[in-house]
Amino acid sequence: MSDESRATAFRESVRGSSVELAYAGHKTFLKGDPREVENVGDVDAAALGIPYDGAVSNRPGARYGPEAIRSASGWWAYLSDYKGGLTNMQTGEQVNFDDLTVADCGDVPVFPMDSETTAESITAHVATVAKQTFPVVLGGDHYCTFPAVRGFAEGAGHDRVGFVQIDAHTDTVSESPVFGTDFHGSSTALIADSPHTEYGDVSQVGIRGYESPDFFEFADETGLNLYTMRDIETEGIVSVVEDAIEAAAEDTDAVYVSFDIDAIDPSVAPGTGTPVPGGLTAGQALKTMEVLGASDAVGAVDLMEVAPRYDATESTERIAAYLLVTLLERQFAE
Protein backbone atom coordinates (compact mmCIF):
# COMPACT_ATOMS: atom_id res chain seq x y z
CA MET A 1 0.00 0.00 0.00
CA SER A 2 1.35 3.42 -0.92
CA ASP A 3 1.89 6.15 1.69
CA GLU A 4 -0.99 8.14 0.19
CA SER A 5 -3.35 5.15 0.31
CA ARG A 6 -2.30 4.38 3.87
CA ALA A 7 -3.02 7.97 4.97
CA THR A 8 -6.42 7.92 3.26
CA ALA A 9 -7.35 4.61 4.85
CA PHE A 10 -6.35 5.88 8.27
CA ARG A 11 -8.47 9.03 7.96
CA GLU A 12 -11.47 7.01 6.84
CA SER A 13 -11.09 4.61 9.74
CA VAL A 14 -11.05 7.31 12.42
CA ARG A 15 -14.43 8.52 13.53
CA GLY A 16 -14.87 12.26 12.95
CA SER A 17 -11.83 12.51 10.73
CA SER A 18 -13.83 14.48 8.15
CA VAL A 19 -14.38 17.24 10.70
CA GLU A 20 -11.63 19.85 10.56
CA LEU A 21 -10.65 21.19 13.97
CA ALA A 22 -11.13 24.89 14.58
CA TYR A 23 -7.39 25.53 14.83
CA ALA A 24 -6.42 23.34 11.85
CA GLY A 25 -6.46 23.85 8.11
CA HIS A 26 -6.57 27.10 6.18
CA LYS A 27 -7.31 30.20 8.26
CA THR A 28 -10.17 31.52 6.16
CA PHE A 29 -13.26 33.23 7.52
CA LEU A 30 -15.69 30.55 8.75
CA LYS A 31 -13.41 28.08 6.94
CA GLY A 32 -14.83 29.32 3.66
CA ASP A 33 -13.35 28.38 0.31
CA PRO A 34 -10.43 30.58 -0.80
CA ARG A 35 -11.58 32.44 -3.92
CA GLU A 36 -10.53 35.22 -6.22
CA VAL A 37 -12.70 38.34 -5.94
CA GLU A 38 -14.04 37.78 -9.46
CA ASN A 39 -15.42 34.35 -8.57
CA VAL A 40 -17.90 34.69 -5.69
CA GLY A 41 -21.23 34.91 -7.47
CA ASP A 42 -22.39 31.50 -6.22
CA VAL A 43 -21.99 32.11 -2.44
CA ASP A 44 -24.07 33.91 0.18
CA ALA A 45 -21.21 36.12 1.36
CA ALA A 46 -17.56 36.79 0.66
CA ALA A 47 -14.96 38.01 3.14
CA LEU A 48 -12.21 40.50 2.41
CA GLY A 49 -9.46 41.45 4.85
CA ILE A 50 -7.92 44.91 5.04
CA PRO A 51 -4.69 44.68 7.04
CA TYR A 52 -4.21 48.44 7.26
CA ASP A 53 -3.84 50.75 10.26
CA GLY A 54 -1.97 53.63 8.71
CA ALA A 55 -4.76 56.07 9.57
CA VAL A 56 -5.03 55.57 13.34
CA SER A 57 -4.68 58.45 15.79
CA ASN A 58 -3.73 56.40 18.84
CA ARG A 59 -2.41 52.83 19.21
CA PRO A 60 -1.63 50.89 16.01
CA GLY A 61 -2.23 47.17 15.58
CA ALA A 62 -5.52 46.83 13.65
CA ARG A 63 -3.48 45.58 10.68
CA TYR A 64 -3.50 42.23 12.51
CA GLY A 65 -7.28 42.23 12.91
CA PRO A 66 -8.24 40.26 9.76
CA GLU A 67 -5.91 37.38 10.60
CA ALA A 68 -7.17 37.21 14.19
CA ILE A 69 -10.87 37.34 13.26
CA ARG A 70 -10.42 34.63 10.64
CA SER A 71 -8.67 32.36 13.11
CA ALA A 72 -11.36 32.90 15.76
CA SER A 73 -14.19 32.27 13.28
CA GLY A 74 -13.11 28.68 12.68
CA TRP A 75 -14.84 27.61 15.87
CA TRP A 76 -18.37 27.95 14.50
CA ALA A 77 -17.62 26.07 11.30
CA TYR A 78 -16.02 23.26 13.30
CA LEU A 79 -18.78 23.10 15.88
CA SER A 80 -21.57 23.02 13.31
CA ASP A 81 -19.80 20.35 11.27
CA TYR A 82 -19.03 18.27 14.35
CA LYS A 83 -22.59 18.36 15.70
CA GLY A 84 -24.39 18.31 12.35
CA GLY A 85 -25.92 21.74 12.97
CA LEU A 86 -26.52 23.86 16.04
CA THR A 87 -29.29 25.23 18.22
CA ASN A 88 -28.93 28.95 18.90
CA MET A 89 -29.65 29.17 22.62
CA GLN A 90 -30.42 32.90 22.39
CA THR A 91 -33.02 32.66 19.64
CA GLY A 92 -34.05 29.00 19.81
CA GLU A 93 -33.43 28.68 16.07
CA GLN A 94 -31.85 25.65 14.40
CA VAL A 95 -28.73 26.69 12.50
CA ASN A 96 -26.46 24.75 10.18
CA PHE A 97 -23.46 26.71 9.04
CA ASP A 98 -23.06 24.27 6.14
CA ASP A 99 -26.14 26.03 4.74
CA LEU A 100 -24.27 29.35 4.84
CA THR A 101 -21.90 29.47 1.88
CA VAL A 102 -18.98 31.79 2.46
CA ALA A 103 -15.91 32.45 0.36
CA ASP A 104 -12.75 34.18 1.54
CA CYS A 105 -11.05 36.40 -1.00
CA GLY A 106 -7.98 37.01 1.11
CA ASP A 107 -6.62 40.47 1.84
CA VAL A 108 -6.99 43.62 -0.19
CA PRO A 109 -3.56 44.91 -1.32
CA VAL A 110 -2.64 47.84 0.93
CA PHE A 111 0.10 50.46 0.72
CA PRO A 112 1.22 51.41 4.23
CA MET A 113 2.67 54.79 3.31
CA ASP A 114 -0.03 55.73 0.80
CA SER A 115 -3.59 56.05 2.14
CA GLU A 116 -4.98 57.28 -1.18
CA THR A 117 -3.77 54.26 -3.17
CA THR A 118 -4.91 51.99 -0.34
CA ALA A 119 -8.37 53.56 -0.46
CA GLU A 120 -8.56 53.03 -4.24
CA SER A 121 -7.57 49.40 -3.79
CA ILE A 122 -10.25 48.89 -1.12
CA THR A 123 -12.92 50.50 -3.29
CA ALA A 124 -12.06 48.38 -6.32
CA HIS A 125 -11.99 45.08 -4.42
CA VAL A 126 -15.17 45.69 -2.41
CA ALA A 127 -16.96 46.84 -5.57
CA THR A 128 -16.00 43.62 -7.36
CA VAL A 129 -17.41 41.53 -4.51
CA ALA A 130 -20.52 43.70 -4.06
CA LYS A 131 -21.39 43.24 -7.72
CA GLN A 132 -21.79 39.52 -7.01
CA THR A 133 -22.68 38.90 -3.37
CA PHE A 134 -22.77 40.16 0.25
CA PRO A 135 -19.41 41.69 1.31
CA VAL A 136 -17.97 40.95 4.76
CA VAL A 137 -15.04 43.28 5.40
CA LEU A 138 -12.49 42.52 8.13
CA GLY A 139 -10.48 45.54 9.27
CA GLY A 140 -8.24 47.28 9.65
CA ASP A 141 -8.73 50.78 11.05
CA HIS A 142 -12.00 52.62 10.60
CA TYR A 143 -10.74 54.88 7.82
CA CYS A 144 -11.02 51.79 5.60
CA THR A 145 -14.80 51.89 5.95
CA PHE A 146 -15.07 55.01 3.78
CA PRO A 147 -13.63 53.42 0.60
CA ALA A 148 -15.47 50.17 1.44
CA VAL A 149 -18.84 51.97 1.51
CA ARG A 150 -17.93 53.69 -1.74
CA GLY A 151 -17.06 50.32 -3.29
CA PHE A 152 -20.28 48.78 -2.04
CA ALA A 153 -22.37 51.55 -3.58
CA GLU A 154 -20.55 51.45 -6.91
CA GLY A 155 -20.35 47.67 -7.20
CA ALA A 156 -23.94 46.95 -6.21
CA GLY A 157 -25.25 49.85 -8.28
CA HIS A 158 -26.86 51.71 -5.38
CA ASP A 159 -27.55 55.41 -5.82
CA ARG A 160 -28.12 55.96 -2.11
CA VAL A 161 -26.69 53.95 0.77
CA GLY A 162 -27.72 54.09 4.42
CA PHE A 163 -25.04 53.67 7.06
CA VAL A 164 -25.40 52.12 10.53
CA GLN A 165 -22.30 52.66 12.63
CA ILE A 166 -21.86 50.92 15.99
CA ASP A 167 -19.03 52.78 17.67
CA ALA A 168 -17.73 54.64 20.70
CA HIS A 169 -16.74 57.57 18.47
CA THR A 170 -18.64 59.47 15.79
CA ASP A 171 -15.70 59.78 13.34
CA THR A 172 -17.16 63.03 12.06
CA VAL A 173 -13.98 65.15 12.11
CA SER A 174 -13.90 66.70 8.66
CA GLU A 175 -10.33 67.95 9.13
CA SER A 176 -7.79 67.61 11.93
CA PRO A 177 -4.83 69.99 12.30
CA VAL A 178 -2.74 66.94 13.23
CA PHE A 179 -4.11 64.12 11.06
CA GLY A 180 -5.60 66.00 8.11
CA THR A 181 -8.76 64.91 6.29
CA ASP A 182 -8.12 61.18 5.86
CA PHE A 183 -7.82 59.25 9.12
CA HIS A 184 -9.97 56.94 11.19
CA GLY A 185 -11.67 59.87 12.89
CA SER A 186 -12.89 61.27 9.57
CA SER A 187 -14.45 58.19 7.97
CA THR A 188 -18.09 59.07 8.68
CA ALA A 189 -17.54 62.66 7.59
CA LEU A 190 -16.12 61.38 4.31
CA ILE A 191 -19.03 58.95 3.86
CA ALA A 192 -21.59 61.69 4.53
CA ASP A 193 -19.83 63.95 2.04
CA SER A 194 -19.92 61.31 -0.70
CA PRO A 195 -22.45 61.19 -3.54
CA HIS A 196 -24.12 58.10 -2.05
CA THR A 197 -24.82 59.09 1.58
CA GLU A 198 -25.68 62.14 3.65
CA TYR A 199 -25.90 62.59 7.41
CA GLY A 200 -29.63 61.97 7.41
CA ASP A 201 -28.88 58.44 6.16
CA VAL A 202 -26.42 57.76 8.99
CA SER A 203 -27.36 56.11 12.30
CA GLN A 204 -24.78 55.89 15.07
CA VAL A 205 -25.22 53.54 18.03
CA GLY A 206 -23.24 53.38 21.27
CA ILE A 207 -21.57 56.81 21.14
CA ARG A 208 -19.96 57.87 24.42
CA GLY A 209 -16.98 59.66 25.91
CA TYR A 210 -16.27 63.12 24.52
CA GLU A 211 -16.91 64.77 21.17
CA SER A 212 -16.44 68.24 19.69
CA PRO A 213 -18.06 71.27 21.37
CA ASP A 214 -21.77 71.64 20.57
CA PHE A 215 -21.88 68.20 18.97
CA PHE A 216 -25.57 67.70 19.73
CA GLU A 217 -26.32 70.89 17.80
CA PHE A 218 -24.23 69.53 14.93
CA ALA A 219 -26.29 66.33 14.95
CA ASP A 220 -29.54 68.28 14.90
CA GLU A 221 -28.40 70.55 12.08
CA THR A 222 -27.12 67.73 9.85
CA GLY A 223 -29.93 65.26 10.55
CA LEU A 224 -27.53 62.66 11.99
CA ASN A 225 -29.44 59.88 13.77
CA LEU A 226 -27.53 59.75 17.04
CA TYR A 227 -28.03 57.09 19.75
CA THR A 228 -25.68 57.42 22.71
CA MET A 229 -24.98 54.87 25.43
CA ARG A 230 -27.32 56.88 27.66
CA ASP A 231 -30.09 56.35 25.08
CA ILE A 232 -29.39 52.62 25.16
CA GLU A 233 -29.54 52.57 28.95
CA THR A 234 -32.85 54.45 28.88
CA GLU A 235 -34.63 52.87 25.90
CA GLY A 236 -33.01 49.43 25.64
CA ILE A 237 -30.72 48.07 22.97
CA VAL A 238 -33.42 46.44 20.81
CA SER A 239 -35.52 49.59 20.56
CA VAL A 240 -32.50 51.74 19.74
CA VAL A 241 -31.15 49.41 17.03
CA GLU A 242 -34.58 48.99 15.45
CA ASP A 243 -34.90 52.79 15.26
CA ALA A 244 -31.36 53.08 13.89
CA ILE A 245 -31.86 50.62 11.04
CA GLU A 246 -35.25 52.10 10.18
CA ALA A 247 -33.78 55.60 9.93
CA ALA A 248 -30.82 54.47 7.81
CA ALA A 249 -33.01 52.38 5.50
CA GLU A 250 -35.56 55.13 4.84
CA ASP A 251 -35.24 56.38 1.24
CA THR A 252 -32.00 54.44 0.66
CA ASP A 253 -31.36 51.45 -1.60
CA ALA A 254 -29.43 49.39 0.96
CA VAL A 255 -27.69 49.75 4.31
CA TYR A 256 -24.01 49.20 5.07
CA VAL A 257 -23.32 48.13 8.68
CA SER A 258 -20.01 49.05 10.30
CA PHE A 259 -19.12 47.71 13.75
CA ASP A 260 -16.11 49.30 15.43
CA ILE A 261 -15.03 46.87 18.16
CA ASP A 262 -14.46 49.77 20.55
CA ALA A 263 -18.25 50.10 20.74
CA ILE A 264 -17.95 47.28 23.28
CA ASP A 265 -16.72 48.07 26.77
CA PRO A 266 -12.94 47.56 27.00
CA SER A 267 -13.40 45.27 30.00
CA VAL A 268 -14.87 42.83 27.46
CA ALA A 269 -12.91 43.76 24.31
CA PRO A 270 -9.63 45.46 25.26
CA GLY A 271 -7.88 44.67 21.98
CA THR A 272 -8.42 47.97 20.21
CA GLY A 273 -6.57 51.21 19.60
CA THR A 274 -8.79 53.80 21.28
CA PRO A 275 -10.73 52.15 24.13
CA VAL A 276 -13.46 54.10 25.94
CA PRO A 277 -15.07 52.85 29.18
CA GLY A 278 -18.81 52.51 29.57
CA GLY A 279 -19.56 50.67 26.34
CA LEU A 280 -21.84 47.90 25.18
CA THR A 281 -21.93 44.63 27.06
CA ALA A 282 -21.24 41.46 25.13
CA GLY A 283 -24.95 40.66 25.26
CA GLN A 284 -25.94 44.08 23.94
CA ALA A 285 -23.42 43.80 21.10
CA LEU A 286 -24.71 40.38 20.05
CA LYS A 287 -28.31 41.58 20.25
CA THR A 288 -27.36 44.52 18.03
CA MET A 289 -26.12 42.21 15.29
CA GLU A 290 -29.10 39.92 15.75
CA VAL A 291 -31.50 42.80 15.08
CA LEU A 292 -29.45 44.14 12.15
CA GLY A 293 -29.08 40.68 10.65
CA ALA A 294 -32.86 40.29 10.55
CA SER A 295 -33.21 43.35 8.33
CA ASP A 296 -33.58 42.83 4.59
CA ALA A 297 -32.14 46.31 4.07
CA VAL A 298 -28.63 45.29 5.16
CA GLY A 299 -26.39 44.60 2.16
CA ALA A 300 -22.86 44.63 3.59
CA VAL A 301 -21.02 44.55 6.91
CA ASP A 302 -17.59 45.29 8.29
CA LEU A 303 -15.87 44.69 11.64
CA MET A 304 -13.12 47.20 12.33
CA GLU A 305 -10.39 48.25 14.76
CA VAL A 306 -9.56 44.83 16.26
CA ALA A 307 -5.96 45.14 17.48
CA PRO A 308 -5.30 41.69 18.95
CA ARG A 309 -1.91 42.44 20.47
CA TYR A 310 -3.57 44.44 23.27
CA ASP A 311 -5.59 41.41 24.41
CA ALA A 312 -3.61 38.40 25.56
CA THR A 313 -6.84 36.50 26.27
CA GLU A 314 -7.92 36.61 22.58
CA SER A 315 -11.39 37.66 23.74
CA THR A 316 -11.57 40.65 21.40
CA GLU A 317 -11.16 38.72 18.17
CA ARG A 318 -13.44 36.00 19.50
CA ILE A 319 -16.35 38.35 20.10
CA ALA A 320 -15.60 40.13 16.79
CA ALA A 321 -16.03 36.82 14.95
CA TYR A 322 -19.13 36.04 17.02
CA LEU A 323 -20.70 39.36 16.00
CA LEU A 324 -20.22 38.68 12.29
CA VAL A 325 -21.46 35.12 12.67
CA THR A 326 -24.58 36.40 14.44
CA LEU A 327 -25.45 38.83 11.65
CA LEU A 328 -24.76 36.30 8.89
CA GLU A 329 -26.76 33.62 10.69
CA ARG A 330 -29.82 35.85 10.77
CA GLN A 331 -29.32 36.84 7.13
CA PHE A 332 -28.66 33.45 5.60
CA ALA A 333 -28.57 30.40 7.89
CA GLU A 334 -31.91 30.30 9.74
Side-chain angles (χ1 to χ4, degrees):
M1 181 182 292
S2 69
D3 290 342
E4 182 179 353
S5 298
R6 186 179 295 111
T8 300
F10 177 77
R11 286 197 301 271
E12 291 176 350
S13 69
V14 178
R15 182 182 179 186
S17 64
S18 63
V19 178
E20 187 172 81
L21 295 167
Y23 48 81
H26 293 293
K27 296 299 183 290
T28 58
F29 182 70
L30 276 178
K31 292 189 175 290
D33 292 337
R35 297 278 191 92
E36 297 294 327
V37 290
E38 298 86 359
N39 184 32
V40 293
D42 60 340
V43 296
D44 295 320
L48 279 168
I50 307 177
Y52 180 79
D53 60 9
V56 297
S57 60
N58 197 26
R59 304 187 299 183
R63 68 186 68 179
Y64 303 110
E67 178 185 17
I69 295 169
R70 284 183 172 112
S71 182
S73 74
W75 174 253
W76 288 272
Y78 154 73
L79 197 63
S80 182
D81 200 18
Y82 171 63
K83 292 179 178 291
L86 297 170
T87 300
N88 186 321
M89 298 304 290
Q90 277 79 23
T91 65
E93 298 289 339
Q94 300 300 304
V95 183
N96 188 345
F97 285 102
D98 287 341
D99 295 335
L100 168 62
T101 55
V102 177
D104 192 320
C105 299
D107 289 340
V108 172
V110 299
F111 305 84
M113 304 304 292
D114 189 340
S115 62
E116 184 176 346
T117 302
T118 295
E120 291 172 357
S121 177
I122 294 168
T123 296
H125 284 76
V126 173
T128 302
V129 169
K131 193 177 296 184
Q132 305 167 77
T133 191
F134 188 102
V136 179
V137 180
L138 315 176
D141 71 50
H142 220 167
Y143 169 70
C144 302
T145 294
F146 159 58
V149 172
R150 183 172 62 189
F152 171 63
E154 294 176 0
H158 297 314
D159 293 326
R160 193 166 173 186
V161 172
F163 185 59
V164 174
Q165 174 185 351
I166 304 96
D167 204 331
H169 312 91
T170 67
D171 299 339
T172 53
V173 178
S174 57
E175 184 171 4
S176 162
V178 178
F179 301 106
T181 59
D182 296 273
F183 74 113
H184 73 162
S186 68
S187 54
T188 304
L190 291 166
I191 291 167
D193 193 41
S194 73
H196 308 289
T197 306
E198 55 190 47
Y199 273 116
D201 306 320
V202 176
S203 293
Q204 298 185 325
V205 176
I207 305 301
R208 60 189 188 275
Y210 295 88
E211 285 291 335
S212 302
D214 302 319
F215 186 81
F216 287 105
E217 287 80 356
F218 167 82
D220 288 340
E221 291 170 2
T222 59
L224 171 66
N225 303 290
L226 179 67
Y227 305 89
T228 67
M229 278 305 303
R230 186 62 56 88
D231 294 324
I232 292 170
E233 292 162 3
T234 302
E235 302 173 25
I237 189 65
V238 172
S239 176
V240 163
V241 177
E242 287 176 343
D243 287 349
I245 186 67
E246 182 179 355
E250 185 176 358
D251 298 325
T252 62
D253 300 318
V255 172
Y256 184 109
V257 170
S258 181
F259 199 115
D260 186 323
I261 201 67
D262 70 26
I264 303 176
D265 192 81
S267 63
V268 177
T272 193
T274 312
V276 181
L280 297 172
T281 66
Q284 288 172 327
L286 291 167
K287 180 60 74 173
T288 296
M289 295 303 253
E290 191 177 308
V291 173
L292 292 172
S295 172
D296 293 335
V298 174
V301 64
D302 71 36
L303 200 300
M304 312 305 278
E305 297 282 356
V306 172
R309 303 229 170 152
Y310 303 116
D311 183 1
T313 70
E314 301 180 356
S315 296
T316 305
E317 54 259 44
R318 190 173 299 112
I319 194 168
Y322 211 145
L323 292 168
L324 291 171
V325 166
T326 299
L327 185 142
L328 291 173
E329 173 191 326
R330 294 302 300 271
Q331 282 274 312
F332 301 112
E334 286 189 356

